[in-house]
Amino acid sequence: MKNIKKNIIVFILISVVFIFIWYIYNNASSKVGYKTDLPKVGAAIYKYDDEFMSYILNSMEDESYGKVALNVNDSQNDQNIQLRQVDEMISNGVRAIAINLVDPKAAQIVINKAKAWDLPVIFFNKEPESSVLNSYNKAWFVGTDSKEAGILQGKMIVDLWNQNKSKWDKNHDGKLSYVLLKGEPGHPDAEARSKYALDEIKKAGIPVEKLDEATAMWDAAKAKDKMDAWISKFNNKIEFVISNNDVMALGAIDSLEKAGYLSGNKFIPVVGIDAIPAAIKKIKEGKMVGTVLNDANSQGKAIIDLVANVAKGKNIFSGTSWRGNSDKSVRIHYVIIIKDNVDEAEQAYK
C-alpha cells in the first residue's frame, strides 16, 4: 500500500513538473515568435558588416516575432555564396524569400530558382531591373527611390551653402569647390545620388568646381584614406565634402578632424545619406552639417509585413498600411536631417 501511495505521489510530481515545463516553453516561444505553426521564411543580407543594413536586419528580426519563423543568412558580399544560400532556403522548405542582393544583376537567377518552386520573392535595398521584376508575378521590391535621396541631399546643400557662403567659400570666387565620395562603381544608388545631388546644386544657380571624386565602396576606412589624400593634394581648396552615405562621411570626418579641419576658419562641411546614429551624433556635435534619413526601421517593417502575407498565401498588402506602385515596389520616403530636426532621425532608429 505504501509503495502504491509513493508511486502515485511520484507520478503526480512528475506530471506537475512536466505541465510546468510545457507552460513555460509555450509562453516563452509565443513571446519570441518561434511557434511551430509560423511559416518559414528565408532571408539573405549582402553582408552583415554594412552598418546601414544591420539596422534593417534588426528591424526585420524585431518585426518577425509572432509573424514568421525567420532565418537570415550573411552572404559575405559574395554572390555565389548567396545563390547557394537561396538553394539551401528552398531545400529547407521556406514559404517565401526576402533577399538583399549582392549584385542586382543576379536577380534573374534568384527569380528562376524561386519560380521553379512557385515561391514569392521580396527583393529589398538593392533594386533589380524592372524587366526582371516584371518577369515573375510573385516578385516585389521594398526600398527607396535613389533619385529622391540625391535630390534632397542637393537641396540641403543649396540651403546650407546659401546660409553659410561667407564662411565656407574660402577663396570668395562664388564657386562651391567639392570632393565627392561615391559608393561602389555602377551601383544604382551611388550613380543616382551623385547625379541628382549635383543637378540640384546647379539648378539653384550655384557654380560648382569638382576637385575630385573617388569610389570608397560605402566604407569608412576607404573614405578616410581618400580624404587623407585629398587634404594633402588640395590643402585649403576643399569647400564641401559630398558623400553617398553616412559611413563614408564619417570616414572623411575622421580624416578632417585629425588634420584640424573641423573648427574655426578651416571648417569644411560634410554631408551624407542614411542618418545613422553615429552621423546624428556628429551633427549634434557640429562636426557634420547634414544627412538624409534613409528609414531602416520602416523598410524592415515593410519587408516583414509583405513577406509574412505572401508566405501565408494572403494578398501582399492585406492588413498593412503599405501601398504598392505600378513598378511592383513599396518606396519609403527620405527626409532631410540637419541639426534643427535630428530628433526625427533619432526617433526612426529608437
Side-chain angles (χ1 to χ4, degrees):
M1 192 68 176
K2 286 181 179 179
N3 286 337
I4 293 172
K5 286 182 178 179
K6 185 187 283 187
N7 288 339
I8 291 170
I9 292 169
V10 170
F11 176 77
I12 291 170
L13 287 172
I14 291 171
S15 298
V16 169
V17 170
F18 176 79
I19 291 168
F20 177 75
I21 292 170
W22 178 87
Y23 175 81
I24 294 295
Y25 172 79
N26 279 275
N27 273 271
S29 64
S30 67
K31 287 176 183 175
V32 299
Y34 288 115
K35 284 185 176 179
T36 54
D37 59 347
L38 293 174
K40 291 201 294 188
V41 167
I45 302 289
Y46 93 102
K47 64 171 184 173
Y48 275 7
D49 59 359
D50 180 307
E51 186 170 355
F52 178 72
M53 292 311 303
S54 74
Y55 291 111
I56 290 184
L57 174 57
N58 289 343
S59 177
M60 289 172 63
E61 290 179 332
D62 287 345
E63 290 295 330
S64 70
Y65 294 160
K67 296 178 182 177
V68 294
L70 181 68
N71 180 36
V72 187
N73 298 274
D74 178 2
S75 299
Q76 301 168 49
N77 205 22
D78 186 318
Q79 190 59 65
N80 290 324
I81 289 175
Q82 188 171 74
L83 292 175
R84 288 198 296 273
Q85 290 168 341
V86 171
D87 290 335
E88 289 168 7
M89 294 176 204
I90 294 170
S91 66
N92 286 332
V94 298
R95 299 270 293 278
I97 295 170
I99 190 158
N100 165 225
L101 293 162
V102 174
D103 181 355
K105 293 176 183 175
Q108 188 64 65
I109 302 172
V110 174
I111 282 178
N112 292 344
K113 290 176 181 290
K115 198 172 184 179
W117 294 88
D118 199 34
L119 290 174
V121 183
I122 306 295
F123 294 101
F124 61 96
N125 182 256
K126 292 187 183 181
E127 187 172 2
E129 290 184 8
S130 58
S131 59
V132 176
L133 204 60
N134 288 323
S135 71
Y136 184 36
N137 66 342
K138 292 188 176 183
W140 296 269
F141 172 71
V142 173
T144 55
D145 182 346
S146 301
K147 177 180 176 180
E148 182 187 34
I151 289 171
L152 292 182
Q153 189 185 55
K155 288 181 181 297
M156 175 177 60
I157 291 168
V158 168
D159 289 343
L160 291 168
W161 179 257
N162 286 336
Q163 292 166 22
N164 297 280
K165 186 177 175 181
S166 60
K167 294 183 293 183
W168 294 353
D169 185 6
K170 292 183 171 56
N171 59 2
H172 306 291
D173 65 351
K175 293 180 182 177
L176 188 157
S177 301
Y178 71 91
V179 290
L180 174 65
L181 287 164
K182 295 184 70 172
E184 60 192 282
H187 190 294
D189 283 356
E191 299 305 326
R193 291 176 182 184
S194 302
K195 170 181 165 43
Y196 289 103
L198 292 167
D199 283 353
E200 284 299 311
I201 299 168
K202 294 169 188 174
K203 194 190 299 182
I206 297 173
V208 296
E209 178 187 9
K210 181 175 80 172
L211 297 175
D212 204 356
E213 68 174 54
T215 297
M217 300 299 291
W218 313 111
D219 183 82
K222 289 182 174 64
K224 182 184 180 301
D225 289 343
K226 300 294 182 185
M227 197 71 236
D228 287 344
W230 284 335
I231 290 170
S232 176
K233 181 178 180 180
F234 297 113
N235 197 8
N236 291 318
K237 292 181 181 178
I238 302 170
E239 296 172 341
F240 224 108
V241 179
I242 304 171
S243 176
N244 282 172
N245 78 342
D246 283 347
V247 173
M248 294 188 296
L250 291 168
I253 287 169
D254 187 23
S255 171
L256 289 166
E257 194 166 16
K258 287 174 180 173
Y261 276 89
L262 290 182
S263 61
N265 295 331
K266 295 180 73 176
F267 183 81
I268 296 176
V270 181
V271 293
I273 293 174
D274 284 338
I276 60 175
I280 295 307
K281 183 173 182 288
K282 292 297 183 184
I283 291 173
K284 291 170 82 170
E285 292 172 353
K287 295 174 182 176
M288 183 170 172
V289 296
T291 184
V292 181
L293 173 62
N294 189 359
D295 192 344
N297 187 46
S298 293
Q299 288 179 58
K301 179 172 173 49
I303 293 160
I304 295 301
D305 283 348
L306 270 54
V307 81
N309 275 339
V310 295
K312 294 170 184 175
K314 296 181 179 180
N315 178 283
I316 191 167
F317 299 116
S318 177
T320 77
S321 60
W322 312 111
R323 292 294 174 266
N325 298 305
S326 58
D327 60 357
K328 301 181 71 182
S329 72
V330 170
R331 306 280 178 181
I332 310 300
H333 290 295
Y334 288 95
V335 180
I336 290 173
I337 300 293
I338 55 175
K339 198 166 188 176
D340 294 342
N341 69 331
V342 289
D343 57 316
E344 285 189 57
E346 288 176 323
Q347 191 61 35
Y349 282 95
K350 194 171 183 179

